[in-house]
Amino acid sequence: MLSAWLLAGPVLAAEVNLYSARQENLIKPLLERFSEQTGIEVNLVTGKADALLQRLKSEGRNSPADLLLTTDAGRLHRAREAGVLAPVESDTLHERIPAQYRDPEGYWFGLSVRARPIVYVTDRVEPGELSTYEALADPKWKGRVCIRSSSNIYNQSLVASMIAHHGVEATEAWARDFVANFARPPIGGDRDQVLAAAAGQCDVAVINTYYLGVMINEDDQEQREAAGRVAVFWPNQEGSGDGRGTHVNVSGIGLTAAAGNRDNAVQLMEFLSSDESQAWYAQVNHEYPVRESVPVSDTLKAWGGFKADDLDLHLLGKYNAEAVRLMDRAGWK
């Protein structure tokens, strides 16, 4: 009996520990499916992205976490710089995930894509008035722009992408003029920018598509109605002056340096990059798959196709600190 129990031990102990900045309802169904298929139990800890990174740093080599799932390439870069991630060699991940959506040395891999376009109030703005992010610094937009604060990683990554394309000096000049066009001091999240625009506080906003997709499909009537008053404009497309493409970012995953269940962790990473997982992200979370072969949700399809900036996203992390300093100098609160 004892020998049978000992033999059963490794099977019962098959597990992987995941720290996730994604809300439980946005990841748990996929984890349950993974466990059904593999017999590997996923122990999930959710929390705020920055708090989870700090927890990993504090725990060091004693951390129970095998994986970190978080939003934004800037945060993933911070995790790598903090020494809490380890590189992964996986032919499956390299085949499935395009190079621009993963760390060049395998420290993190993008799992879903969200774009950060301009949204405009349809009864106050004609789409022909819009063209690029850079054009939002034009004086005609004075008092008409809503966007969240400079402490937000999504805005830091947008500015970092502009530094990568234009350099610090040109980006700072743009940022000063852009800030002068704000309709109000930055406050709230991306949904709040849509609500403000719908309420007449501004005419355009810069937000992540994921939030608008959630609002459109929300049970809350106020959220749905606000989302219904705005439309998506894809900036920086061909013929717009600077056709580099609309800024995009990822949610992504990395193996921790302290991982004690490395093989199980890599297996989960590969599962989350599979067609099944990618399709679930697309349909339920209203995010774009990292794989072009996987169809998007009807909500995203209704916004039409767009050219995405193909900048390697690890550069968003590389230029993050400079972006933060630049935004501070420009008066972006």
Side-chain angles (χ1 to χ4, degrees):
M1 292 294 292
L2 179 59
S3 60
W5 180 83
L6 289 172
L7 287 171
V11 176
L12 295 174
E15 63 179 4
V16 60
N17 302 316
L18 172 65
Y19 282 7
S20 172
R22 304 303 305 267
Q23 296 176 17
E24 183 171 330
N25 65 308
L26 297 181
I27 189 67
K28 192 67 178 291
L30 280 178
L31 303 181
E32 291 174 345
R33 179 66 173 158
F34 171 75
S35 295
E36 289 173 5
Q37 292 185 6
T38 65
I40 299 170
E41 181 179 358
V42 182
N43 302 312
L44 176 65
V45 173
T46 59
K48 297 290 187 181
D50 294 336
L52 288 175
L53 176 54
Q54 185 56 50
R55 178 171 175 174
L56 276 172
K57 290 163 66 176
S58 299
E59 292 170 342
R61 290 288 176 175
N62 295 319
S63 177
D66 300 304
L67 292 167
L68 173 66
L69 175 62
T70 193
T71 55
D72 200 278
R75 285 198 180 103
L76 289 159
H77 179 82
R78 288 178 187 172
R80 175 182 173 173
E81 291 293 292
V84 300
L85 298 183
V88 170
E89 285 291 339
S90 166
D91 291 341
T92 298
L93 291 172
H94 280 78
E95 289 169 5
R96 290 175 175 174
I97 300 173
Q100 69 265 30
Y101 297 147
R102 50 181 162 86
D103 179 78
E105 296 179 12
Y107 280 86
W108 56 262
F109 297 83
L111 295 177
S112 62
V113 177
R114 61 273 303 277
R116 194 161 183 78
I118 300 166
V119 296
Y120 63 95
V121 181
T122 55
D123 61 3
R124 296 200 296 273
V125 177
E126 292 294 330
E129 299 178 66
L130 296 162
S131 57
T132 64
Y133 297 109
E134 289 80 357
L136 290 180
D138 189 284
K140 78 174 185 179
W141 297 108
K142 189 171 182 62
R144 302 175 69 188
V145 178
C146 280
I147 194 167
R148 63 200 292 179
S149 77
S150 62
S151 64
N152 174 248
I153 189 71
Y154 305 144
N155 286 337
Q156 293 170 11
S157 288
L158 173 61
V159 173
S161 75
M162 298 180 77
I163 291 173
H165 285 292
H166 303 311
V168 173
E169 185 176 348
T171 302
E172 185 169 343
W174 165 81
R176 290 184 184 280
D177 292 338
F178 181 56
V179 169
N181 289 342
F182 288 1
R184 60 177 189 170
I187 187 172
D190 279 11
R191 292 197 200 200
D192 295 302
Q193 312 314 311
V194 176
L195 291 168
Q201 296 179 37
C202 53
D203 294 339
V204 298
V206 180
I207 68 163
N208 279 0
T209 46
Y210 158 77
Y211 292 101
L212 186 62
V214 171
M215 291 179 76
I216 288 170
N217 294 279
E218 181 65 77
D219 291 334
D220 184 284
Q221 184 176 350
E222 180 188 14
Q223 299 264 326
R224 288 199 317 274
E225 289 180 352
R229 295 200 62 192
V230 303
V232 172
F233 180 84
W234 302 112
N236 297 81
Q237 302 298 288
E238 297 291 359
S240 64
D242 182 340
R244 68 179 182 275
T246 298
H247 173 64
V248 297
N249 211 315
V250 292
S251 69
I253 196 165
L255 180 76
T256 70
N261 299 293
R262 184 185 179 95
D263 291 345
N264 293 345
V266 173
Q267 196 170 339
L268 177 55
M269 294 172 76
E270 292 174 347
F271 172 82
L272 292 174
S273 71
S274 67
D275 282 352
E276 177 183 358
S277 298
Q278 289 287 298
W280 191 88
Y281 273 124
Q283 297 302 319
V284 177
N285 293 347
H286 305 293
E287 294 179 271
Y288 293 91
V290 292
R291 304 176 65 182
E292 292 184 358
S293 59
V294 178
V296 301
S297 70
D298 290 342
T299 297
L300 271 60
K301 192 181 301 180
W303 298 337
F306 68 98
K307 177 184 176 182
D309 188 349
D310 63 1
L311 185 74
D312 283 348
L313 295 191
H314 78 277
L315 293 174
L316 305 184
K318 176 180 178 180
Y319 293 115
N320 176 266
E322 188 62 63
V324 172
R325 292 191 293 268
L326 183 157
M327 296 164 87
D328 185 59
R329 294 194 300 269
W332 190 334
K333 303 299 183 183

